[in-house]
Amino acid sequence: MESNYKSGFVSIVGRPNVGKSTFLNRIVGQKIAIMSDKPQTTRNKIQGVVTTDDSQIVFIDTPGIHKPKHALGDFMNKMAKQTIPDVDVVLFMINANEKIGPGDRFIIDLLSRTKSPVFLVINKIDLVHPDELLPIIETYQSEFEFAEIVPISALQGNNVDRLFDVLKTYIPEGPQYYPDDQVTDHPERFIMAELIREKVLHFTHEEVPHSVAVTIEKIERDDNGKVHVMANIIVERSSQKGILIGKQGAMMKQIGTGARREIERLLGSKVYLELWVKVQKDWRNKQIHLREFGFKEDEY
């Protein structure tokens, strides 16, 4: 390995729904974070690893920082804030077609306490006219002194390579933390649960909001190499269970088919996916259920 090999950690922060997970998947080159047009899709910190010949950068995708309405929301905010002081660079991602608001200023206030360089990453530039970028940049520059300002489209990939190249100039020399082929520090079980949850959010739209969790109960590989995955989808109300199952099981079949395809892509194997829906009233406000469904503060 070269003596001037660079390695470091980069945190991605921003309000909900600015495209942090889309960016992470784009830069890592495969799907490790779930994407949804609903806010607060990402609940845990998800680490994506990008390794090149001369560097390794570990990206930390955080939950969108927002005003919490329940214990789960508190947990998500805590996770996001904890990543800010300990990284080499912070990427503050904003949405090009949304005006600056109290949420952005709240994050800027948090960022003012970090010693790490902060980049302003203006995402979704494909949704605005290029002439609109300068006023956005001027507005944010008047609020905070950013080390760099980089406009990108995570969805289309515009300027993402340039952002990576600029990042590398800020990353210190250091060892390679992960093997060349590792793209995330999360186990496959976690990613499978997230892929199922993504399909629930995608197909049920507003009917089953973020009061849904997924636990993987069993993963077994049979003699033919087929993987049997059994998972529970947890909701807060019986009415939500009815929506998830759908008329004659139609909704559950749709969710299952979509999730199975994603899991097969992840594992590179044929998958038999078995889904069960369970009701756990008000789980988002109960610490015992938050821990049971994977929201463990002591892991961070």
Side-chain angles (χ1 to χ4, degrees), residues 242-257:
I243 290 163
L244 272 177
I245 293 169
K247 198 171 181 182
Q248 296 178 322
M251 177 60 79
M252 187 50 53
K253 189 174 180 183
Q254 215 174 4
I255 291 165
T257 302

Side-chain angles (χ1 to χ4, degrees), residues 25-266:
N25 291 335
R26 166 70 64 179
I27 208 152
V28 167
Q30 71 182 70
K31 192 167 188 173
I32 61 168
I34 76 169
M35 295 179 289
S36 161
D37 56 2
K38 298 178 176 62
Q40 286 104 54
T41 306
T42 302
R43 285 186 179 160
N44 279 290
K45 290 186 299 185
I46 295 177
Q47 295 196 175
V49 185
V50 180
T51 307
T52 65
D53 292 342
D54 59 358
S55 69
Q56 184 172 79
I57 300 180
V58 182
F59 289 88
I60 304 164
D61 176 26
T62 60
I65 297 173
H66 62 292
K67 191 173 180 180
K69 296 187 178 76
H70 38 61
L72 174 60
D74 287 332
F75 170 85
M76 287 156 65
N77 269 356
K78 205 170 195 178
M79 290 301 96
K81 290 175 192 175
Q82 278 176 4
T83 69
I84 293 172
D86 306 324
V87 292
D88 299 295
V89 179
V90 179
L91 301 182
F92 173 35
M93 189 168 287
I94 64 161
N95 188 338
N97 67 345
E98 283 182 5
K99 292 208 168 7
I100 191 168
D104 297 302
R105 290 193 170 95
F106 175 68
I107 296 168
I108 287 168
D109 183 53
L110 290 176
L111 294 175
S112 66
R113 295 169 222 169
T114 181
K115 294 182 174 67
S116 308
V118 179
F119 287 21
L120 177 68
V121 179
I122 306 170
N123 192 20
K124 307 190 186 184
I125 58 169
D126 49 300
L127 301 180
V128 299
H129 191 276
D131 292 348
E132 294 174 57
L133 281 177
L134 192 58
I136 295 169
I137 291 167
E138 286 171 348
T139 299
Y140 278 89
Q141 273 181 326
S142 69
E143 300 274 343
F144 188 83
E145 197 173 324
F146 294 97
E148 300 283 347
I149 297 175
V150 187
I152 67 161
S153 168
L155 189 64
Q156 297 185 351
N158 305 356
N159 241 15
V160 172
D161 288 347
R162 181 177 164 262
L163 173 57
F164 186 78
D165 290 342
V166 175
L167 263 178
K168 270 171 43 173
T169 65
Y170 285 79
I171 298 296
E173 288 184 13
Q176 184 171 332
Y177 296 103
Y178 295 97
D180 288 354
D181 58 352
Q182 187 167 343
V183 295
T184 181
D185 71 335
H186 272 295
E188 286 174 342
R189 181 178 287 261
F190 171 86
I191 298 173
M192 283 185 211
E194 287 289 89
L195 292 172
I196 294 166
R197 193 163 68 88
E198 177 185 50
K199 294 305 168 197
V200 170
L201 294 174
H202 175 71
F203 287 115
T204 59
H205 307 293
E206 300 304 317
E207 298 167 293
V208 178
H210 286 264
S211 52
V212 63
V214 176
T215 58
I216 305 291
E217 299 302 309
K218 188 171 75 173
I219 305 171
E220 286 179 351
R221 192 179 287 272
D222 67 20
D223 297 338
N224 302 318
K226 192 171 191 176
V227 181
H228 183 172
V229 179
M230 193 174 117
N232 288 330
I233 301 172
I234 290 86
V235 291
E236 287 187 318
R237 295 195 298 275
S238 300
S239 60
Q240 293 169 341
K241 180 176 179 177
I243 290 163
L244 272 177
I245 293 169
K247 198 171 181 182
Q248 296 178 322
M251 177 60 79
M252 187 50 53
K253 189 174 180 183
Q254 215 174 4
I255 291 165
T257 302
R260 178 179 53 76
R261 285 182 187 139
E262 296 276 10
I263 294 169
E264 285 179 340
R265 203 172 292 139
L266 173 74

